Amino acid sequence: MSMKTKPLAQGGGTLKRNLGLWAIVGLGLGYMTPTVVFDTFGMVGRDTANVVPAAYLVALVVMVFTAISYGKIASAIPSAGSAYTYVRESIHPNLGFMVGWTSLIDYVLLPMVNCLIIRSYLEALFPDIPGWIWVVLYCVLVTAIIYLTMRGTSNANMVLLVFSIIVMAVFVVMVIAQLAQGHGAGTVASIAPFLHDGVTMGAVLMGATIVCFSFIGFDAVTMYAEEAKGPKIMPRAILLTVILGGAIFLVAAYFTQLRFPDWNEFAPGGDMQYVEDSTLPIIGHLVGGDVLRAVLTAAGFCATLASGLASHASVSRMLLVMGRNNVLPRRVFGYINPRTHTPTFNIVLVGAICLLAIPFSLELIAAWINFGALIAFTFVNVSVIAWFAVRKGLRRTPRDVFRYIVMPAIGMLLTGLLWANLHQDALIGGTVWAVLGVIYLLVLTRGFRRKVASFDENETVTGFNKLPVPSPQQPLDDDLDDELDPTGAR
């Protein structure tokens, strides 16, 4: 989620190093939204033949290798906070641009996922109200909040995170009690959630490509590299975020799978709409009736709304920096409203994109997001090899070969494997977007005759419109730096 970071001066400066290990881990876990495991449970159960925990285990293994690579490259390039920055610095600016352009898909569409999940919650609670009304209301509310202010919410993030985890723990305890009474699989110890007759590796990989978007957020902690109390914190924070997040997903998925051995329990009458949207309200109702459904939905709602605010604000800021650097038209995307001190055009644009959640399903948008995210993850592994083994020459000892070639190569192959198993529509749409990026890169570089402008969402954006420097009698608006730095994006 976002947090308060204050430059030392209006025109830009250094960020204050005041974040400890657990503060950063909490921000990463909050962005991952732990309750999302219930949202996608139905569709993943369908695609994996009821081995959702196996899909999470595969995704976790892939993410651990990638997290190790993130930790290594974040230590080497501590001022950077994204895959395209790492690729730009370690390989080539043009390739860095393409990685950034491709991963822009998941930046832009992530707010829409939050909108889709919120819509499904409210449709479950108020089935007589058309879903498009909730989409419009959500988009207007979130856009209006960020339009007026983008103050950091790290403390609120921690409260929402703790609340969500407590509710999930209560849910697990209730499920264990029901299993002991003979419900579901009738046991708390079984390998069936990971392996049983009829399960194929291809199906598990398909499920892993869906759930890997649940891990999006562990790389968001790289955004705090310049605010960590010490340089050794970042690699540990990245790895801890992945491991703890993965453990939460695995435990919740394991016991939920035992309680619901067949995904068809979520699709009465064969209605696929029940599994293509969030199954969280259904799971809550079947386990604890209306009370647990309301509590679990409230936990999911709060966590998703907070993540939605952060992702919406973050992509708006990223577009602002791209506009500032003329990667996108400066007059439009680089504009900061002098009254609200926010990039109002970008905020409204992202809100308008979120309106597209009306006709789309959660499954398809998640697949498109994973296209960009897995491209970014793959190239982070590549950048480790390029930076350490090639540029720094750390390839002469077996230890260096293992750390800087073998480990990232495994991560690269694993993320590439998941990418190849993405939904066909996501591969087609993502490829079209990548081709557009190549064409745009040709224009920006005048046929590759000059370097492409860099865009880093960590870069200071205050003062772009030459706002007046306040007098001692009129102190600078405390919201300004927060509004232009809603860190918490990937």
Side-chain angles (χ1 to χ4, degrees), residues 401-431:
V401 170
F402 179 75
R403 292 186 65 191
Y404 303 122
I405 297 178
V406 175
M407 289 287 286
I410 293 174
M412 178 182 66
L413 291 174
L414 290 176
T415 52
L417 182 63
L418 290 186
W419 181 85
N421 281 275
L422 281 172
H423 193 289
Q424 184 178 5
D425 291 341
L427 290 173
I428 294 173
T431 301

Side-chain angles (χ1 to χ4, degrees), residues 73-308:
I73 200 69
S75 297
I77 312 175
S79 62
S82 56
Y84 50 77
T85 302
Y86 301 148
V87 175
R88 185 185 71 222
E89 296 296 326
S90 62
I91 304 177
H92 194 277
N94 289 346
L95 183 59
F97 171 85
M98 283 306 304
V99 171
W101 176 269
T102 306
S103 62
L104 189 61
I105 294 178
D106 79 87
Y107 277 95
V108 172
L109 294 184
L110 192 56
M112 193 191 300
V113 163
N114 293 300
C115 181
L116 283 166
I117 293 174
I118 292 291
R119 183 193 72 182
S120 65
Y121 291 165
L122 294 173
E123 283 179 332
L125 293 175
F126 306 100
D128 295 331
I129 300 179
W132 67 266
I133 293 180
W134 299 123
V135 172
V136 173
L137 290 177
Y138 171 87
C139 291
V140 170
L141 174 64
V142 171
T143 303
I145 291 173
I146 302 173
Y147 187 99
L148 296 174
T149 178
M150 292 199 293
R151 176 177 289 278
T153 56
S154 61
N155 291 334
N157 164 76
M158 190 61 72
V159 171
L160 291 169
L161 173 63
V162 171
F163 172 64
S164 299
I165 293 177
I166 290 175
V167 171
M168 293 178 72
V170 171
F171 170 84
V172 168
V173 170
M174 293 181 65
V175 167
I176 291 175
Q178 293 180 5
L179 291 172
Q181 295 171 2
H183 294 280
T187 178
V188 296
S190 173
I191 65 168
F194 296 95
L195 180 66
H196 58 74
D197 292 339
V199 175
T200 64
M201 190 60 193
V204 173
L205 287 174
M206 179 67 72
T209 63
I210 298 175
V211 303
C212 73
F213 103 98
S214 305
F215 289 86
I216 292 177
F218 84 84
D219 57 324
V221 302
T222 61
M223 295 295 297
Y224 311 115
E226 297 180 34
E227 298 151 84
K229 290 182 178 179
K232 294 183 179 180
I233 285 180
M234 291 311 302
R236 293 162 59 196
I238 293 169
L239 191 57
L240 273 174
T241 301
V242 169
I243 293 175
L244 291 177
I248 293 171
F249 291 142
L250 272 175
V251 170
Y254 173 77
F255 285 106
T256 304
Q257 190 70 82
L258 287 176
R259 179 61 180 82
F260 303 103
D262 187 356
W263 67 269
N264 283 290
E265 294 183 58
F266 307 127
D271 190 345
M272 300 300 291
Q273 183 68 33
Y274 281 88
V275 297
E276 291 175 352
D277 289 332
S278 171
T279 45
L280 180 146
I282 302 174
I283 291 173
H285 180 74
L286 293 176
V287 171
D290 292 338
V291 174
L292 184 61
R293 181 180 69 168
V295 174
L296 193 61
T297 300
F301 187 93
C302 292
T304 304
L305 180 60
S307 180

Side-chain angles (χ1 to χ4, degrees), residues 384-395 400 404-405:
V384 170
I385 299 174
W387 181 266
F388 292 99
V390 179
R391 287 182 177 265
K392 302 300 180 182
L394 297 176
R395 57 181 185 273
D400 286 344
Y404 303 122
I405 297 178

